[in-house]
């Protein structure tokens, strides 16, 4: 470690901060005005570098290089405008989480579109003309192009500041960030304002991707990798704050740079690898900032939206028809192994469907009745899975006992994480849960001696009497049905009513003596316990476990299941889990472009059933009942 190396890493951090700022600034603009948590923003970044590669190939690596980068950004901006007009404009009045579901579907569609057009191989672009060399700084070579990127960040920040503070359009954008409905009431064409903001945000993401062409190869993993980092920057800086996004990008990039410079350090005879912290340092920063300052470094409390979606109806006891239908379904599930004896894969798929149903039901427990949106619910699923695997492998505990104790491991994680999470609300709460999940994933991924690291753990098989797949199916069916019914029973208990009261009105609940935060904290532990049970069942069904079970993708899958089924019904998460898992399996086995087909199906379902599949069926049943009662 020396000063020249330290300075070089700081400069690398500045270059990385500029690229990250471009993406985060666009994301912050879009969220500030439209209130859409745009999962597809990382896809715009990815498309930007691919389009830049194609344009540079056609326009040449000389004078045509720089216009190609700008044209790529414009092309992505046009793509963003088209997506906003054709899809998102139709769902602005839907609940915000359903908008998130639509943008997640776009990620799937865009990824397969890139695969079809450019292929699966990484594409390495040429060096930037005029900036292909390096400069000497304290005896070390530093790329000239990275110095150029260091300048780009502040220049774009300045241009955005002028646009937002010195133009009428910028004034309208800032006004819409504070109260978009009032802007519309004053006669401003809200639709075109949203389109312009979305196009500008997409253009900035595309520019960020295009500028990366000389630095790294274009790959299909760039979308999700980028969106995670961009979300962190936006939340740390403050949702809707452009200067905050730049400050957060600088902070996170420089902390990462320092961690790389420190490398492995011995403290009191213990070796600490700071370089490994780069996998999770941004999430540690986000968790710290959100706990200390919930609105971010330069953010303000989010203005409530008047579009709150469909009104929440009181939960009602199951009707006789519902009970009969559930009983018939139960009988069908019991008879399934006999009916499908000639198709062993059906039992494997049904076990996956049942595990997904319990996982989604546990997430819905805190999202629906409690009103707490979690982006990191996979943490508890993974803790339960790893808890079961480690109890069997490390202690020799019988599988049956480990299956019962593993959920307590996830309950402990939920106890710790929930204590911090319930002090926030809205998207800030969701992002804090994501931070905790990523921290848990990073520990699991790197603790080779205990968790197996990136290889995971193998040889996690059920007891001998459950080795037969049919017996394990019946065990899973019993545990899942019992778990779902118990969650339902809790919601109809006094605790469940208090939980929903705190969701609907914190002030009124507080006034009548309900400790809302304590109720929510307990709800977190209950949800984590049942998610851990689903994870333990999953581990024994597969015989192995890997860090993927704690990843962001697993948490997103849970969100999709809940939203697809309908967050306002108790049956919704089960319906959504079965639908999503079955679609995923069926589509993936029948086409190479399964992501695009699955994404298209989700988009169609969102447009047709913004209240979810189960919510739509319930709506039809309510209308039929009203017609019978009124005789109309």
């Amino acid at each position: 470690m020396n000063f020249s190396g330290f300075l070089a890493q700081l400069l690398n951090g500045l270059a990385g901060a500029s690229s990250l700022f471009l993406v985060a600034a666009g994301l912050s603009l879009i969220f500030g005005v439209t209130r859409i948590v745009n999962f597809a923003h990382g896809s715009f970044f990815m498309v930007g570098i691919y389009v830049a590669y194609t344009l540079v190939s056609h326009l040449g690596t000389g004078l045509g290089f720089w216009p190609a980068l700008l044209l790529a950004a414009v092309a992505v901006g046009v793509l963003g405008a088209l997506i906003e007009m054709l899809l998102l404009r139709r769902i602005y009045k839907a609940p915000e989480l359903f908008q998130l579901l639509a943008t997640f579907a776009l990620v799937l569609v865009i990824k397969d579109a890139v695969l079809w057009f450019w292929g699966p191989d990484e594409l390495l672009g040429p060096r930037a003309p005029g900036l292909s060399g390096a400069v000497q700084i304290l005896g070390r070579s530093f790329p000239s192009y990275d110095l150029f990127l260091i300048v780009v960040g502040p220049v774009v920040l300045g241009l955005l500041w002028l646009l937002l503070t010195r133009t009428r359009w910028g004034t309208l954008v800032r006004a819409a960030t504070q109260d978009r409905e009032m802007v519309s009431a004053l006669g401003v064409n809200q639709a075109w304002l949203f389109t312009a903001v979305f196009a500008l945000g997409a253009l900035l993401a595309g520019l960020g991707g295009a500028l990366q062409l000389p630095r790294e190869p274009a790959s299909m993993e760039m979308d999700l990798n980028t969106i995670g980092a961009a979300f962190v920057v936006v939340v740390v800086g403050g949702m809707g704050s452009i200067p905050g996004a730049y400050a957060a990008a600088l902070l996170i990039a420089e902390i990462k740079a320092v961690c790389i410079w420190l490398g492995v350090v011995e403290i009191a005879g213990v070796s600490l690898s700071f370089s490994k912290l780069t996998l999770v340092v941004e999430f540690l920063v986000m968790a710290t900032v959100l706990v200390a300052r919930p609105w971010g470094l330069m953010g303000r409390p989010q203005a409530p939206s008047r579009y709150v979606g469909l009104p929440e109806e009181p939960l009602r006891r199951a009707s006789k028809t519902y009970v009969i239908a559930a009983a018939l379904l139960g009988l069908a599930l019991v008879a399934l192994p006999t009916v499908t004896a000639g198709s062993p894969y059906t039992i494997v798929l049904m076990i996956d469907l049942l595990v997904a149903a319990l996982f989604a039901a546990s997430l819905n427990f805190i999202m629906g009745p409690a009103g707490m949106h979690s982006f990191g619910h996979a943490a508890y699923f993974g803790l339960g899975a790893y808890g079961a695997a480690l109890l069997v492998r490390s202690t020799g505990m019988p599988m049956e006992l480990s299956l019962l104790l593993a959920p307590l491991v996830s309950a402990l994680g939920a106890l710790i994480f929930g204590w911090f999470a319930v002090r926030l609300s809205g998207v800030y709460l969701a992002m804090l849960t994501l931070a905790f999940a990523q921290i848990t994933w990073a520990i699991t991924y790197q603790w080779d001696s205990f968790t197996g690291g990136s290889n995971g753990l193998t040889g996690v098989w059920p007891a001998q009497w459950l080795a037969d797949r049919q017996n394990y199916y019946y065990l899973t069916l019993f545990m899942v049905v019992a778990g779902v019914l118990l969650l339902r029973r809790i919601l109809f208990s006094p605790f469940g009513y208090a939980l929903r009261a705190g969701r609907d009105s914190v002030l009124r609940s507080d006034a009548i003596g309900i400790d809302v935060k304590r109720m929510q904290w307990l709800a977190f532990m209950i949800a984590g316990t049942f998610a851990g049970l689903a994870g333990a069942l999953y581990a024994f069904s597969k015989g192995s476990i890997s860090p993927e079970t704690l990843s962001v993708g697993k948490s997103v899958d849970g969100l999709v299941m809940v939203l697809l089924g309908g967050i306002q019904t108790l049956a919704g998460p089960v319906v959504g889990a079965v639908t999503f898992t079955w679609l995923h399996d069926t589509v993936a086995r029948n086409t190479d472009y399964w992501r695009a087909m699955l994404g298209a199906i989700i988009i169609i379902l969102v447009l047709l059933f913004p209240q979810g599949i189960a919510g739509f069926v319930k709506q039809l049943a309510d209308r039929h009942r009203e017609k019978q009662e009124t005789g109309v």
Side-chain angles (χ1 to χ4, degrees):
M1 293 186 294
N2 53 55
F3 181 73
S4 63
F6 177 66
L7 180 60
Q9 287 299 334
L10 288 182
L11 291 174
N12 278 325
L14 287 174
S18 289
S19 302
L20 188 54
F21 164 69
L22 291 176
V23 185
L27 184 63
S28 187
L29 270 175
I30 290 173
F31 178 83
V33 175
T34 67
R35 293 293 187 270
I36 287 181
V37 181
N38 182 24
F39 256 107
H41 205 69
S43 300
F44 295 147
F45 176 89
M46 178 181 68
V47 171
I49 190 171
Y50 274 101
V51 173
Y53 177 88
T54 300
L55 291 176
V56 168
S57 300
H58 284 82
L59 298 180
T61 58
L63 294 177
F65 179 87
W66 298 106
L69 299 191
L70 296 177
L71 287 174
V74 172
V76 176
V78 172
L79 173 65
L82 291 174
I83 288 174
E84 194 279 338
M85 289 188 290
L86 297 177
L87 173 62
L88 299 180
R89 187 177 292 183
R90 302 172 185 273
I91 57 174
Y92 277 132
K93 294 187 180 181
E96 291 174 4
L97 282 173
F98 285 97
Q99 299 166 2
L100 181 148
L101 179 58
T103 61
F104 168 74
L106 281 174
V107 171
L108 300 178
V109 174
I110 294 174
K111 185 181 284 288
D112 266 4
V114 169
L115 174 63
W116 175 78
F117 196 86
W118 284 283
D121 298 330
E122 293 184 347
L123 303 177
L124 182 61
R127 293 184 177 274
L131 296 174
S132 57
V135 297
Q136 294 294 315
I137 300 178
L138 296 181
R140 288 179 177 266
S141 298
F142 189 79
S144 302
Y145 188 76
D146 283 9
L147 289 176
F148 166 73
L149 287 181
I150 292 174
V151 176
V152 168
V155 169
V156 172
L157 175 62
L159 292 175
L160 286 175
W161 180 82
L162 290 173
L163 178 66
L164 295 174
T165 60
R166 294 292 185 268
T167 66
R168 181 177 182 275
W169 184 84
T171 302
L172 294 178
V173 169
R174 288 185 288 116
T177 302
Q178 298 299 317
D179 193 333
R180 59 178 183 172
E181 285 80 25
M182 183 58 70
V183 170
S184 179
L186 293 175
V188 176
N189 191 325
Q190 189 183 62
W192 287 112
L193 180 64
F194 283 13
T195 301
V197 168
F198 204 90
L200 177 60
L203 184 148
L204 288 171
L207 179 61
L211 288 173
Q212 289 300 105
L213 185 64
R215 299 186 81 211
E216 60 178 309
S219 69
M220 294 183 60
E221 288 73 38
M222 300 180 82
D223 53 356
L224 292 182
N225 292 338
T226 302
I227 191 60
F231 271 137
V232 170
V233 168
V234 170
V235 171
V236 170
M239 301 294 275
S241 172
I242 303 300
Y246 186 70
L250 282 179
L251 175 66
I252 292 170
E254 293 300 353
I255 291 177
K256 277 190 171 185
V258 171
C259 287
I260 295 173
W261 175 69
L262 288 173
V264 179
V265 178
E266 284 198 10
I267 301 177
V270 178
S271 295
L272 296 177
S273 178
F274 282 91
S275 57
K276 288 185 176 181
L277 281 177
T278 55
L279 286 175
V280 72
V281 67
E282 63 261 42
F283 294 98
L284 288 171
V285 172
M286 181 169 70
T288 303
V289 170
L290 287 180
V291 170
R293 184 178 170 83
W295 313 119
L297 297 176
M298 299 184 183
R300 298 178 181 178
Q302 180 182 334
S305 173
R306 293 181 175 84
Y307 293 148
V308 294
L310 298 174
E312 289 277 0
E313 296 181 2
L315 293 179
R316 304 183 189 279
R317 299 284 179 179
S319 64
K320 185 179 296 185
T321 304
Y322 186 92
V323 172
I324 294 173
L328 291 175
L329 176 61
L331 291 174
L333 291 174
V334 170
L336 185 69
T338 304
V339 176
T340 62
S343 177
Y345 179 72
T346 302
I347 297 299
V348 175
L349 177 59
M350 285 305 302
I351 292 173
D352 289 344
L353 293 176
L354 289 170
V355 170
L358 181 57
F359 176 55
S362 68
L363 176 57
N364 184 70
F365 185 81
I366 55 174
M367 284 185 63
M372 296 183 290
H373 305 146
S374 174
F375 284 4
H377 203 62
Y380 316 119
F381 183 89
L383 285 173
Y386 270 95
L390 290 169
L391 286 173
V392 170
R393 284 171 52 97
S394 302
T395 67
M397 182 180 293
M399 173 263 178
E400 297 87 347
L401 183 57
S402 67
L403 185 62
L404 297 177
L405 293 181
L408 299 181
V409 178
S410 56
L412 179 61
L415 173 72
I416 298 171
F417 298 160
W419 189 86
F420 295 98
V422 298
R423 282 154 175 75
L424 304 178
S425 62
V427 71
Y428 296 99
L429 182 150
M431 295 308 296
L432 184 59
T433 61
L434 173 62
F436 285 138
Q438 282 299 98
I439 292 169
T440 307
W441 170 84
I443 294 172
T444 304
Y445 187 83
Q446 297 182 77
W447 199 351
D448 296 322
S449 61
F450 187 62
T451 66
S454 59
N455 295 321
L457 299 172
T458 57
V460 189
W461 299 110
Q464 189 62 37
W465 66 280
L466 292 170
D468 182 81
R469 185 64 64 176
Q470 182 172 321
N471 291 342
Y472 193 81
Y473 166 79
Y474 281 123
L475 173 69
T476 305
L477 178 62
F478 172 76
M479 300 291 280
V480 169
V481 170
V484 171
L485 291 178
L486 185 54
L487 284 172
R488 183 183 179 90
R489 180 68 187 89
I490 292 172
L491 291 178
F492 283 103
S493 69
F495 170 78
Y497 287 111
L499 198 61
R500 295 200 301 278
R503 175 201 64 189
D504 295 336
S505 178
V506 175
L507 293 178
R508 292 181 181 179
S509 301
D510 208 27
I512 61 175
I514 297 176
D515 190 337
V516 175
K517 296 303 180 187
R518 182 174 295 180
M519 294 292 103
Q520 292 177 335
W521 189 21
L522 183 56
F524 247 96
M525 288 186 284
I526 293 172
T529 301
F530 285 96
L533 176 59
L537 289 169
Y538 176 84
F540 288 119
S541 72
K542 300 302 180 184
S544 62
I545 196 69
S546 72
E548 292 301 313
T549 54
L550 299 103
S551 66
V552 174
K554 186 67 177 178
S555 294
V556 172
D557 286 348
L559 279 171
V560 172
M561 294 173 192
V562 172
L563 298 175
L564 198 57
I567 199 171
Q568 295 176 332
T569 61
L570 297 181
V574 177
V575 173
V578 171
T579 302
F580 178 76
T581 307
W582 177 79
L583 280 174
H584 190 290
D585 178 81
T586 303
V587 174
R589 285 190 290 114
N590 288 283
T591 176
D592 292 334
Y593 299 102
W594 61 270
R595 297 182 192 86
M597 186 172 291
L598 180 61
I601 293 172
I602 292 174
I603 289 173
I604 292 171
L605 291 175
V606 168
L607 292 175
L608 294 179
F609 314 124
Q611 67 274 56
I613 298 172
F616 176 73
V617 174
K618 179 179 179 296
Q619 193 176 64
L620 291 180
D622 290 343
R623 289 177 182 174
H624 179 70
R625 186 177 62 250
E626 289 176 3
K627 286 182 179 180
Q628 286 185 328
E629 292 174 353
T630 58
V632 178

